[in-house]
Amino acid sequence: MLYTLYLIFNRFIFAPGIVPAHQRRDGSYQPIEKLRGFLNYERNPEPYRKPLERLLDWEELNPVEGDDEKHSAVERKVQAARCMDCGTPFCQTDTGCPVSNIIPEWNSLVYNGQWADAIERLHKTNNFPEFTGRVCPAPCEGSCVAGLVDSPVTIKNIEYAIVDRAWNDGLIQPRIVKNRTGMTVAVVGSGPAGLAAADQINQMGHKVTVYERSDRIGGLLMYGIPNMKLEKETVDRRVNLLREEGIDFVTNADIGKNVDVDELRSNYDALALCVGSTKPRNLPVPGRELKGVHFAMEFLTKNQQRLLMTKEGALESQWDKDNFITAAGKDVIVIGGGDTGTDCIGTSMRHRCKSVTNFELMPQPPMERAPDNPWPQWPRVFGIDYGHAEVQAVFGKDPRVFSVMTKEFLGDDNGNVRALVTQDVEITDKGPRAIEESEREFPADLVVLSMGFLSPEDYVSGELGLDLDQRNNIHAVYGDYRTSVEGVFAGGDCRRGQSLVVWAIHEGRGVAEACDTYLKQKREDEVAAGSTISGGAFANLSSISPNI
């Protein structure tokens, strides 16, 4: 009875100036207060939609307003109250947020109901909080000071709530640049690094054109991350905003192939390469050539293209059946863990696969931090991601098999994969070692290789003659982002290697700063030499058409 009255009170009385009541750890119902919030209130992350419900569609995992799982305004206030305002907020340091979000500030603003100030504060450090609030694994929470003795603050949920409300309330509007410098920049790649670089450079007053080799803008945001984690309308919404702010986008422009690199470079004052790390790690074992063995990005991209075609009204009969990779009715094996592996699991489940198994080379992580993994490092502990939860809900067991490596793929008479043979492994000082006579055979009609990426493809860097590092990434000093060729900059996964979306945004912002410094010096040198800047973004681009 008391709890019912509490719900009624908070639903109808919660208004500006009135502090609602909430249950504390001791069971009492008292007005929400922040001074001792981290002691009074339990961590309560906003849950995803129920597994058996969300498997029936391709909609986002996050609940929408009206869903039972969606946090109320009261619960958001309570979770924001758990932020400790600690003297040294590790959540925004090098071990926490790569873009240095001022997390305690916007937590406090949410607690006080100052949502317009919260999105302004969030945008000062993060260009795309609607992306990171959905897909970032939240290293900030792993380094939260509250996590030393208790559960960390629900930082990711609060970030998502801020930007979601800002879009709904019309608080995010185009920022039209009033003063242009006359300098031009070409950004190659429209993933999170490229978009962040373009956004920052544009706001600095330079004219920006973004070139994307695919048919849609967004890079991995569009084709690498599936719908259930990031709805594509969310990507298009931000891209359209950037377009309104003056950024030009050119699709189907594969630099070094159908667009000449030298002409591109000669017609812009600076060139920023944010092409990602797109060369996948292969598995060169017997039977690799069999039909039905695919790389993760091939599987995910083709699925996303089909979904977009369907949403735009294309009939099922118009799909390219030979290229579409389906898991429907198949025994699926995903080799490799991580976020991408989980996305392949979730995609297979929505295809209505017969079964799904996930191989991981490393042993199962501990349930709690190991002694060699202290706070504030990222906690390497056992967890259940959305794809694992969906498999458990349908098949009744976790899909992961740890400490195992693939020895051989087996095929049928038609050249299709039918099974694979594994060996158990143990981790030694010299790396994984196969255990003799531990072979096992698993049925498989579809095998997805999700073992990460090695480096960017080299045809752009080769055409430009750029120096590469020992891992074949584009060599550009961290904090500088200049490559070995003057006027050419590199950032994101193509420079630092495969990483997180939040690191890509950080790198894109760094590229923008480096470009701006270079362009200012270039302007000073030209003025000193008595030259004038003429033309614009498309001054002499005879071979480059916006209709590429």
Side-chain angles (χ1 to χ4, degrees), residues 253-264:
D254 200 350
I255 310 303
K257 292 190 175 179
N258 67 343
V259 176
D260 185 78
V261 174
D262 292 329
E263 186 170 359
L264 188 72

Side-chain angles (χ1 to χ4, degrees), residues 53-268:
E53 292 179 5
R54 65 187 190 234
L55 277 173
L56 299 177
D57 57 51
W58 290 94
E59 303 303 317
E60 281 193 359
L61 302 165
N62 296 297
V64 298
E65 293 296 338
D67 290 346
D68 294 338
E69 295 88 356
K70 189 73 174 176
H71 275 177
S72 66
V74 173
E75 190 59 42
R76 293 191 194 105
K77 185 179 181 74
V78 169
Q79 293 306 307
R82 296 189 70 247
C83 185
M84 299 166 60
D85 292 331
C86 45
T88 304
F90 279 80
C91 59
Q92 62 192 54
T93 64
D94 292 341
T95 57
C97 181
V99 294
S100 302
N101 279 328
I102 312 300
I103 294 165
E105 287 191 15
W106 43 258
N107 278 338
S108 181
L109 291 167
V110 168
Y111 173 78
N112 291 314
Q114 297 171 271
W115 293 90
D117 293 333
I119 187 59
E120 182 180 359
R121 175 67 269 180
L122 185 50
H123 266 150
K124 285 185 182 297
T125 55
N126 188 348
N127 301 71
F128 315 121
E130 66 269 40
F131 302 156
T132 56
R134 286 169 164 86
V135 306
C136 181
C140 53
E141 294 187 15
S143 60
C144 175
V145 176
L148 264 172
V149 294
D150 192 35
S151 300
V153 176
T154 57
I155 300 171
K156 181 177 175 178
N157 285 166
I158 296 171
E159 177 184 28
Y160 173 83
I162 292 171
V163 68
D164 198 42
R165 176 160 177 166
W167 280 108
N168 291 336
D169 291 352
L171 298 176
I172 300 177
Q173 295 294 327
R175 301 166 297 158
I176 306 302
V177 180
K178 296 181 180 179
N179 299 311
R180 290 290 181 181
T181 65
M183 311 294 277
T184 60
V185 180
V187 175
V188 180
S190 69
L195 292 180
D199 187 17
Q200 294 294 107
I201 294 169
N202 180 60
Q203 291 301 316
M204 292 167 178
H206 312 303
K207 180 61 181 174
V208 183
T209 304
V210 178
Y211 292 89
E212 168 57 50
R213 68 179 178 179
S214 187
D215 62 334
R216 298 174 190 263
I217 297 298
L220 70 84
L221 299 170
M222 178 60 66
Y223 285 132
I225 300 174
N227 258 31
M228 50 273 197
K229 284 177 67 174
L230 180 61
E231 176 60 62
K232 302 316 159 190
E233 279 82 355
T234 301
V235 180
D236 288 337
R237 179 178 61 185
R238 179 63 73 166
V239 170
N240 290 335
L241 183 78
L242 297 177
R243 188 176 282 114
E244 289 184 64
E245 293 176 342
I247 299 175
D248 292 322
F249 294 95
V250 182
T251 56
N252 297 310
D254 200 350
I255 310 303
K257 292 190 175 179
N258 67 343
V259 176
D260 185 78
V261 174
D262 292 329
E263 186 170 359
L264 188 72
R265 186 182 169 216
S266 65
N267 284 281
Y268 288 90

Side-chain angles (χ1 to χ4, degrees), residues 281-351:
R281 180 176 283 106
N282 202 357
L283 185 59
V285 299
R288 171 62 183 86
E289 75 286 351
L290 290 169
K291 290 181 286 186
V293 182
H294 300 276
F295 287 117
M297 280 301 120
E298 183 186 7
F299 177 52
L300 295 174
T301 297
K302 292 183 183 302
N303 179 74
Q304 190 57 53
Q305 289 173 334
R306 178 183 70 93
L307 291 177
L308 289 168
M309 287 175 59
T310 306
K311 186 166 286 190
E312 292 167 357
L315 299 176
E316 185 173 349
S317 59
Q318 295 176 307
W319 298 340
D320 188 346
K321 299 284 196 306
D322 293 333
N323 287 325
F324 175 58
I325 304 168
T326 180
K330 296 180 179 180
D331 290 311
V332 179
I333 292 181
V334 177
I335 300 178
D339 291 339
T340 302
T342 302
D343 292 340
C344 293
I345 293 171
T347 299
S348 298
M349 291 297 293
R350 283 160 180 77
H351 282 182

Side-chain angles (χ1 to χ4, degrees), residues 378-398:
W378 172 253
R380 298 189 297 273
V381 297
F382 182 79
I384 298 176
D385 210 332
Y386 79 97
H388 311 139
E390 290 168 358
V391 176
Q392 285 184 326
V394 175
F395 297 113
K397 64 177 182 178
D398 193 298

Side-chain angles (χ1 to χ4, degrees), residues 362-424:
M362 301 302 290
Q364 179 174 320
M367 301 305 292
E368 298 180 351
R369 286 182 184 270
D372 62 349
N373 179 216
W375 175 92
Q377 294 178 2
W378 172 253
R380 298 189 297 273
V381 297
F382 182 79
I384 298 176
D385 210 332
Y386 79 97
H388 311 139
E390 290 168 358
V391 176
Q392 285 184 326
V394 175
F395 297 113
K397 64 177 182 178
D398 193 298
R400 289 168 288 185
V401 179
F402 294 94
S403 299
V404 67
M405 65 185 297
T406 302
K407 181 180 180 181
E408 180 184 8
F409 296 110
L410 303 178
D412 62 18
D413 295 337
N414 296 317
N416 300 304
V417 66
R418 65 170 180 81
L420 55 78
V421 178
T422 67
Q423 281 183 295
D424 295 341

